[in-house]
Amino acid sequence: MDQRSDRLKYLRLLAMQYPNVRAASSEIIHLQAILSLPKGTEHFMSDLHGEAEAFVHILNNASGAVREKVDNVLRDSLPADERARLATLIYYPEEKLAELVEAAPDRAEWYRITLSRLLEICRLCASKYTREKVRRALPRWNGDIINELLNKNNDIYNKREYFDTVIASIIETDRAEEFIISMCNLIKRLVVDHLHIVGDIFDRGPRADIIMDLLMDHHSVDIQWGNHDVLWMGAATGSRTCIATVLSNSITYNNLDVIETGYGISLRPLALFADETYKDSDLSCFQPKMSESGELSKMDITRAARMHKAIAIIQFKLEGQTILRNPSFGMDDRLLLDKIDFEKKTVRLPAGEYPLRDCDFPTIDPADPYRLSPEEHALMAQLKNSFLRSEKLQRHISFLYSKGGLYKCFNGNLLFHGCIPMDDKGGFLKFSFGGQELSGKALMDWCETVAREGYYAREGTPERQFGKDFLWFLWCGRNSPSFGRDHIATFERRLIADQSTWAEPKNPYYSFYNDSEVCVRILREFGLEGEHCHIVNGHVPVKTKDGESPIKAGGRLIVIDGGFCRAYQPTTGIAGYTLVYDSWGIHITAHEPFPGKETAIRDNKDILSTSMAFDRSENRIRIRETDTGHALQQTIDDLKELLAAFRRGEIKEDNSDNTAVRGPVS
């Protein structure tokens, strides 16, 4: 009885939106029609690592999906080189337009032809959506005119002159270029219905902030946090450990633009401290990695090395403090500063004693090695304040929290960046946190909750402090789900010559993820079953040049580490992989290294290398088979129940307004 009463209460609330039989019936008709449409295209990218130019290009070409639309419409009427120019115009309309207009012998005729071609491509892209959804995608200022042109029927006997006049008027009023730009952007908007970023937006490349700005402007996106992302999230909470690590990483890769230009964080206090403290110090272990352009002068390199040494020592100290504060992390073996013998210039590791390449650490007190000096403490207070007060950084991290998480289940696919931690027998690895034993999905959910507390819990509370520390654990903690290794060997790589100490053993997950039965078990743990369910994974670059395939476990798991980061490309042999899941199935695309924006625009150079379909559907996939479709079907079922309640008289109709009030739809 209570359940029926609750259901009736819900139907009365629904009746406020659909007050009569006509309104409810109209919405049922509308929603059932939507279920028969083809599913929208999903685009998957991972491991962007601040490479904004390459990201923009692949975002613009949708991993080849845009060029495919151009070819489908114009293959029989336009040669390949002209189709390539048109595709480049769609990718970069503002930049390419001037060049093409300048080269046109008859500018007005070029405008007319180009507008007509773009309209044909727009119509193809729009054909899989409702008119309502297309209208929402249109630009505000000229959307009504474009909408009229898009709805040109095959039989235009009565309106041929009307459409020709609209095009002619656009050209006559000098608005052709604005319309061309609008239609190019509309094509890109319609080709990809939803974007998935499977982790690691930050670090290594120069401008992660530009990528974040673009993601915030995207119409539909979700993000699975990578270990580099949670590190920056921790820095934005004011975690000094994460801030020091972010700065150390940025200096290592000679990548301070994102700190200073992108986020307006001044590094002058660090530079002054480093120049004073490490003025006569050995800097050989702390040289930044140089880019191909080698733009730094000798003085700049020396200053960067001093800054790197200064922040690295602070990083090692703060990491030690974090480990000592959190015995549940199980990382006591990573307390290394107290294992240094300053007389012998060695360090004691679990595997033995090793000589240090550098032992000139004037701020380390051997009696209390993890304590910051007064000057270091003051410096970190300044840097913490700068990170907390960076409006742009805080806006970006807030977006990561609102659109992101450690994993996502979407249309039968399980997306996560690192791993589902496993033990050496193939079971889910158990962690003990907060007096409870956690593994599998429960572990992922708990980790995400704590990561959110690090940002949202009230300052000064134990929840906030532990959450900030835990964000660092997610970055590099033993077998953390976003890191997936036993430990990070930053100390060893920096200070020990013996490369046997540099190893960072992977979690057993990376052996078992080649086993289809293990992958099926992981999918089932997250409530996903069926032959077309997959794991989409980032984090570990695929070494294509060594014959490694991104498709694991007979197609149950796909690794799409994007390889955007130039530092990885000599190891992988390509610029990584992206994924497209459209109404015909899943396609994985391998990419060549990006030649640069100027080259891409000038030479109409795409970076698509090869594309292969590995889970193609025999029948076109419809919205009814997607998560959105299942939600719409539930709404349809509710509305049918409301109709029955109207007809039984359990709920009275309101016929004062016979206009159906439509709710949000796909």
Side-chain angles (χ1 to χ4, degrees):
M1 186 65 181
D2 288 342
Q3 188 175 358
R4 178 171 175 76
S5 175
D6 288 343
R7 190 63 182 165
L8 200 57
K9 188 182 297 183
Y10 166 72
L11 292 176
R12 287 196 178 99
L13 290 172
L14 191 61
M16 294 174 69
Q17 191 170 6
Y18 305 99
N20 50 50
V21 168
R22 181 175 295 178
S25 299
S26 295
E27 188 66 0
I28 290 171
I29 293 166
H30 177 69
L31 295 181
Q32 288 190 150
I34 287 175
L35 293 180
S36 65
L37 289 171
K39 80 173 284 294
T41 297
E42 300 169 52
H43 190 197
F44 301 72
M45 286 192 266
S46 175
D47 296 85
L48 311 177
H49 284 301
E51 295 288 351
E53 279 199 354
F55 167 74
V56 168
H57 189 85
I58 293 177
L59 185 69
N60 285 340
N61 78 359
S63 292
V66 170
R67 178 60 190 268
E68 182 183 1
K69 302 296 184 189
V70 173
D71 289 344
N72 286 345
V73 173
L74 300 169
R75 182 180 285 109
D76 296 334
S77 60
L78 209 61
D81 60 334
E82 290 193 44
R83 296 200 305 274
R85 277 195 291 273
L86 185 61
T88 304
L89 175 65
I90 295 170
Y91 305 157
Y92 303 103
E94 291 88 349
E95 296 90 339
K96 188 69 175 177
L97 187 56
E99 172 200 324
L100 296 178
V101 170
E102 186 68 27
D106 184 337
R107 186 169 298 189
E109 181 64 7
W110 185 87
Y111 285 145
R112 186 188 65 78
I113 292 171
T114 302
L115 285 167
S116 298
R117 288 170 177 167
L118 291 173
L119 279 167
E120 289 303 312
I121 298 167
C122 275
R123 289 188 190 106
L124 175 62
C125 297
S127 63
K128 67 193 295 187
Y129 302 115
T130 64
R131 290 181 65 177
E132 180 180 350
K133 185 163 184 174
V134 173
R135 276 197 299 270
R136 292 202 299 266
L138 292 168
R140 184 171 300 174
W141 73 272
N142 59 6
D144 288 343
I145 298 172
I146 294 175
N147 193 39
E148 279 289 304
L149 294 170
L150 287 179
N151 290 306
K152 171 181 173 183
N153 297 321
N154 292 329
D155 179 11
I156 58 167
Y157 178 78
N158 292 317
K159 298 181 75 173
R160 182 185 302 275
E161 186 176 350
Y162 168 80
F163 288 113
D164 290 344
T165 302
V166 171
I167 295 290
S169 297
I170 289 171
I171 297 169
E172 182 184 347
T173 57
D174 294 327
R175 291 293 177 265
E177 294 188 11
E178 295 174 34
F179 272 82
I180 286 171
I181 291 170
S182 291
M183 282 191 281
C184 289
N185 291 331
L186 178 61
I187 289 167
K188 291 180 287 191
R189 164 68 177 79
L190 294 174
V191 165
V192 171
D193 192 48
H194 189 79
L195 176 65
H196 304 283
I197 303 297
V198 193
D200 275 1
I201 297 165
F202 287 89
D203 284 336
R204 295 199 170 93
R207 294 303 297 272
D209 61 300
I210 293 175
I211 295 174
M212 287 299 301
D213 280 339
L214 291 167
L215 292 178
M216 290 182 71
D217 285 339
H218 199 274
H219 58 276
S220 184
V221 63
D222 60 63
I223 301 165
Q224 291 69 60
W225 302 329
N227 59 317
H228 288 269
D229 303 322
V230 294
L231 178 64
W232 278 79
M233 289 157 62
T237 69
S239 162
R240 297 185 305 167
T241 313
C242 292
I243 289 170
T245 308
V246 159
L247 294 177
S248 181
N249 288 348
S250 296
I251 298 171
T252 296
Y253 285 90
N254 184 23
N255 176 27
L256 296 179
D257 279 354
V258 70
I259 302 288
E260 297 183 302
T261 305
Y263 290 123
I265 295 170
S266 173
L267 296 181
R268 179 174 167 78
L270 174 59
L272 293 175
F273 169 80
D275 285 345
E276 177 65 28
T277 308
Y278 296 95
K279 179 171 52 179
D280 301 316
S281 184
D282 178 9
L283 303 173
S284 58
C285 295
F286 297 92
Q287 298 294 307
K289 297 179 185 290
M290 297 303 297
S291 64
E292 292 177 3
S293 59
E295 67 275 10
L296 291 184
S297 68
K298 185 175 181 180
M299 182 181 295
D300 290 334
I301 293 171
T302 299
R303 169 162 279 192
R306 284 186 188 137
M307 292 167 65
H308 190 196
K309 185 167 186 176
I311 201 66
I313 299 305
I314 292 172
Q315 174 191 349
F316 298 149
K317 290 182 176 185
L318 291 172
E319 286 178 340
Q321 292 180 20
T322 303
I323 293 168
L324 289 167
R325 263 196 312 272
N326 298 278
S328 62
F329 291 176
M331 296 174 64
D332 286 358
D333 59 316
R334 300 306 299 160
L335 295 169
L336 300 179
L337 296 186
D338 61 304
K339 311 299 190 301
I340 295 176
D341 186 323
F342 284 89
E343 290 186 4
K344 295 168 60 179
K345 297 184 179 180
T346 61
V347 65
R348 188 175 71 259
L349 302 181
E353 194 167 13
Y354 295 87
L356 289 170
R357 297 169 59 203
D358 183 0
C359 207
D360 179 18
F361 308 138
T363 71
I364 294 180
D365 177 1
D368 191 2
Y370 301 106
R371 179 179 58 82
L372 297 184
S373 71
E375 294 78 13
E376 288 173 328
H377 191 277
L379 170 64
M380 289 311 299
Q382 285 181 285
L383 291 171
K384 175 180 176 179
N385 186 61
S386 295
F387 272 78
L388 289 174
R389 290 181 178 275
S390 171
E391 185 275 334
K392 188 175 182 181
L393 175 62
Q394 294 299 328
R395 180 159 35 89
H396 285 173
I397 298 305
S398 178
F399 180 77
L400 275 181
Y401 274 103
S402 66
K403 292 292 186 180
L406 278 178
Y407 71 91
K408 189 172 186 67
C409 298
F410 197 96
N411 289 340
N413 294 316
L414 172 61
L415 288 61
F416 55 83
H417 178 74
C419 71
I420 307 301
M422 308 190 83
D423 59 31
D424 56 9
K425 295 182 180 178
F428 295 128
L429 186 63
K430 293 180 172 60
F431 291 74
S432 294
F433 288 122
Q436 53 186 327
E437 201 169 68
L438 300 159
S439 64
K441 181 178 182 296
L443 171 69
M444 299 291 277
D445 290 336
W446 186 88
C447 288
E448 183 171 325
T449 297
V450 176
R452 293 183 184 280
E453 287 179 344
Y455 190 72
Y456 290 110
R458 188 162 49 86
E459 188 63 63
T461 61
E463 292 80 9
R464 171 86 171 195
Q465 181 60 61
F466 183 69
K468 291 196 295 185
D469 287 349
F470 197 77
L471 285 163
W472 175 81
F473 176 83
L474 287 173
W475 147 250
C476 68
R478 175 157 289 129
N479 294 313
S480 106
S482 58
F483 177 54
R485 296 177 184 268
D486 180 77
H487 66 272
I488 192 168
T490 308
F491 181 96
E492 291 89 339
R493 289 173 181 269
R494 191 65 55 212
L495 295 171
I496 300 176
D498 188 337
Q499 294 189 17
S500 68
T501 66
W502 296 8
E504 298 175 348
K506 295 178 184 176
N507 182 266
Y509 166 85
Y510 293 103
S511 298
F512 288 109
Y513 77 170
N514 292 290
D515 187 327
S516 61
E517 291 184 7
V518 171
C519 291
V520 167
R521 182 152 45 85
I522 292 172
L523 288 163
R524 191 178 298 125
E525 170 77 2
F526 288 82
L528 299 175
E529 295 197 55
E531 60 178 318
H532 297 294
C533 293
H534 311 85
I535 296 168
V536 182
N537 210 163
H539 192 45
V540 177
V542 178
K543 296 180 180 179
T544 306
K545 71 181 184 67
D546 295 337
E548 185 181 358
S549 170
I551 302 172
K552 313 288 185 183
R556 281 295 189 175
L557 185 145
I558 313 106
V559 179
I560 60 160
D561 183 334
F564 285 84
C565 180
R566 295 178 186 273
Y568 288 154
Q569 290 169 9
T571 302
T572 61
I574 61 168
Y577 297 91
T578 56
L579 202 68
V580 171
Y581 181 20
D582 61 21
S583 58
W584 293 107
I586 298 180
H587 312 256
I588 190 165
T589 301
H591 297 277
E592 302 168 354
F594 186 52
K597 182 178 177 179
E598 289 185 9
T599 302
I601 294 172
R602 183 188 66 238
D603 300 337
N604 307 304
K605 175 72 174 174
D606 222 330
I607 61 173
L608 177 66
S609 179
T610 54
S611 180
M612 54 181 168
F614 73 91
D615 190 357
R616 187 166 178 82
S617 177
E618 293 182 6
N619 300 304
R620 202 167 191 189
I621 304 166
R622 305 289 169 174
I623 287 178
R624 68 170 60 91
E625 301 168 67
T626 68
D627 292 349
T628 297
H630 298 155
L632 292 179
Q633 184 60 57
Q634 182 59 58
T635 301
I636 292 168
D637 294 342
D638 292 342
L639 288 167
K640 287 181 176 179
E641 196 174 343
L642 177 61
L643 281 180
F646 281 145
R647 288 165 178 159
R648 288 193 301 265
E650 292 176 321
I651 298 175
K652 302 298 183 185
E653 288 188 80
D654 178 1
N655 287 302
S656 59
D657 181 358
N658 289 325
T659 303
V661 182
R662 178 163 296 150
V665 295
S666 170

